[in-house]
Amino acid sequence: RMYSADVKIIPQQKSISISEIDLLENPVFTYRDINDYHSEFDEYSRWHKLVDKEDKKVWGMFVHTFHELMPPEKYFDKHPEYFALRGDIRTSEEPCLSNPDVLKIMTEELRRRMSENPNAKIWSVSQNDNEAFCQCDECKKIDEREGSPSGSIINFVNKVADTFPDKIISTLAYRYSRTAPKVIKPAKNVNIMLCTIEAYRTFPLIADTSSSNFVKDLKDWSQLTDNIFLWDYIVQFTNYISPFPNLQVLQPNIQLFAKSNAK
């Protein structure tokens, strides 16, 4: 047993005999990572069938990347129109995804980074960690048609993905963009990183029957694409070190993700 990166239980035996082995494993999930101190150690990760450091090199950029692809400190003062309109005010928290110059700037920055890291396969082009999505007339028109701010995101990300057909462009379905769009579909090389951050973690996701339940969003996204990664949360944000008995929900949630064709 390997209980942590440095706690292993290895039974001592005078002799070890192994019969003929005929074993084939086809994992349900193509990528499995845990944000935990111990998973930074390759031996622990391989033992528990998680991705190791070499596997993680598949990522060129990883979540919340809009501010990296178009830094506000570089562009906001001279070009506030590149950023989100909230009421009558431009804010540097998120970009305006209907502005063609924003698409050009982010695409070129992405191209530059890809040239520096050509072996990376997945590049995240995704919202920052806030609620300040753009509400300008053009972005609002797209989002109202799609029934969700995910509409303007997918509209934008699809254009980026079209420029880099040999890469996977990943984007978040998170907080304000968690609800799937009604009309537009993610391109084939667009990956959806769907997040359960608002969901209860004391009982299985399937048990939530509220109108805003995560299961509906999961189903809706899975009808649009089979290129879905799940970012599940098992933490109690109000107190990280408090007792939080949630082991009983892990298996049914993972089974739900598998049935929904998440990768």
Side-chain angles (χ1 to χ4, degrees):
R1 297 289 185 267
M2 186 177 291
Y3 293 110
S4 74
D6 50 12
V7 176
K8 290 182 282 189
I9 306 299
I10 305 176
Q12 298 297 309
Q13 298 183 31
K14 292 182 178 179
S15 64
I16 299 174
S17 62
I18 300 174
S19 58
E20 183 178 344
I21 297 174
D22 183 6
L23 178 64
L24 176 66
E25 291 187 352
N26 290 301
V28 171
F29 301 110
T30 61
Y31 191 94
R32 199 165 79 96
D33 189 14
I34 295 175
N35 272 334
D36 175 80
Y37 167 77
H38 301 285
S39 65
E40 295 300 313
F41 296 88
D42 282 348
E43 183 187 16
Y44 178 90
S45 293
R46 292 165 186 157
W47 178 275
H48 291 286
K49 300 178 183 178
L50 306 171
V51 293
D52 60 19
K53 287 186 178 70
E54 193 64 30
D55 297 322
K56 292 177 184 179
K57 291 179 180 178
V58 71
W59 289 94
M61 299 180 77
F62 187 74
V63 307
H64 301 315
T65 61
F66 280 162
H67 68 286
E68 296 180 69
L69 293 170
M70 192 178 71
E73 57 271 19
K74 180 177 179 180
Y75 292 99
F76 185 74
D77 287 344
K78 291 185 178 180
H79 293 283
E81 72 276 13
Y82 290 175
F83 295 86
L85 182 68
R86 303 288 295 180
D88 297 325
I89 300 172
R90 292 283 177 178
T91 172
S92 63
E93 292 183 87
E94 292 285 9
C96 172
L97 297 178
S98 61
N99 188 313
D101 289 337
V102 171
L103 177 63
K104 182 180 178 180
I105 289 168
M106 289 201 190
T107 301
E108 288 307 308
E109 176 61 17
L110 205 53
R111 192 188 311 277
R112 184 188 69 80
R113 290 174 182 249
M114 287 178 179
S115 68
E116 294 176 350
N117 187 7
N119 293 325
K121 182 70 174 177
I122 309 177
W123 294 81
S124 182
V125 178
S126 54
Q127 69 201 69
N128 301 323
D129 199 356
N130 57 60
E131 296 284 346
F133 59 92
C134 186
Q135 297 175 322
C136 75
D137 289 344
E138 189 59 30
C139 286
K140 185 184 292 186
K141 184 171 72 174
I142 297 171
D143 292 343
E144 287 179 350
R145 181 191 72 206
E146 299 293 344
S148 169
S150 64
S152 53
I153 291 176
I154 298 302
N155 180 66
F156 180 85
V157 170
N158 278 355
K159 294 174 183 177
V160 176
D162 187 55
T163 306
F164 305 105
D166 60 331
K167 302 293 185 181
I168 296 172
I169 304 301
S170 179
T171 198
L172 287 163
Y174 169 73
R175 296 174 71 175
Y176 63 77
S177 66
R178 201 188 82 185
T179 301
K182 293 179 179 178
V183 181
I184 193 170
K185 293 185 177 182
K188 286 189 176 181
N189 63 320
V190 167
N191 165 259
I192 302 300
M193 180 77 81
L194 180 57
C195 306
T196 67
I197 190 167
E198 302 91 348
Y200 287 110
R201 290 180 271 281
T202 50
F203 52 82
L205 290 165
I206 199 72
D208 184 1
T209 58
S210 67
S211 60
S212 61
N213 73 79
F214 176 83
V215 177
K216 180 182 184 305
D217 290 335
L218 176 58
K219 180 181 178 182
D220 290 345
W221 280 109
S222 66
Q223 290 175 343
L224 297 177
T225 178
D226 62 357
N227 194 345
I228 297 175
F229 280 9
L230 253 298
W231 186 308
D232 194 19
Y233 295 78
I234 57 170
V235 66
Q236 206 271 75
F237 284 113
T238 56
N239 193 327
Y240 283 103
I241 62 172
S242 67
F244 189 52
N246 66 337
L247 288 174
Q248 73 279 5
V249 310
L250 301 184
Q251 185 183 46
N253 285 351
I254 291 173
Q255 289 172 338
L256 171 67
F257 303 152
K259 289 177 183 176
S260 302
N261 207 26
K263 297 294 192 297

